[in-house]
Amino acid sequence: MNYAAANSRFSQPSNSSWQPKPLNRTGDLSGWKRRMKQACPNPKQGEIVYLDRTYFDRAEQEAVYERIGYKVINIVGNGEAIWQRGRVVRIEEREYLAS
């Protein structure tokens, strides 16, 4: 997994707003938390972090490159971030490789 803009804040244009897109499924939560900690070791409330991923679409017979945004919506007492999953955006291969 590639981490895009991992340690920087993202300033959205004034004509856009954050759009949560939860998956509503279970999985490897501890592994996901490790990846988020690696991407953003010191999260701050309101910060948005992008994770890039790639997979092979068998139906289309092509590699798919995606960028998923996660926003810190709260910091709990122990300093752990509460993340909200956002929009998934397809990106071009060259953009994926450059990040």
Side-chain angles (χ1 to χ4, degrees), residues 10 12-13 15-22 48-51 66-71 84-90:
F10 176 73
Q12 293 185 336
N15 63 349
S16 70
S17 61
W18 177 251
Q19 298 174 5
K21 298 286 182 192
I48 298 173
V49 174
Y50 290 94
L51 300 183
E66 293 181 332
R67 180 164 288 156
I68 306 167
Y70 294 92
K71 181 178 183 178
Q84 181 180 57
R85 184 177 183 271
R87 184 171 42 185
V88 178
V89 178
R90 275 192 164 193

Side-chain angles (χ1 to χ4, degrees), residues 76-95:
V76 292
N78 64 359
E80 184 177 349
I82 305 298
W83 296 92
Q84 181 180 57
R85 184 177 183 271
R87 184 171 42 185
V88 178
V89 178
R90 275 192 164 193
I91 57 176
E92 297 294 324
E93 179 180 13
R94 61 179 155 42
E95 186 178 354

Side-chain angles (χ1 to χ4, degrees), residues 35-53:
R35 288 191 302 276
M36 292 306 292
K37 187 72 171 171
Q38 183 179 2
C40 187
N42 298 305
K44 295 174 182 43
Q45 190 155 346
E47 189 167 22
I48 298 173
V49 174
Y50 290 94
L51 300 183
D52 290 351
R53 73 175 184 161

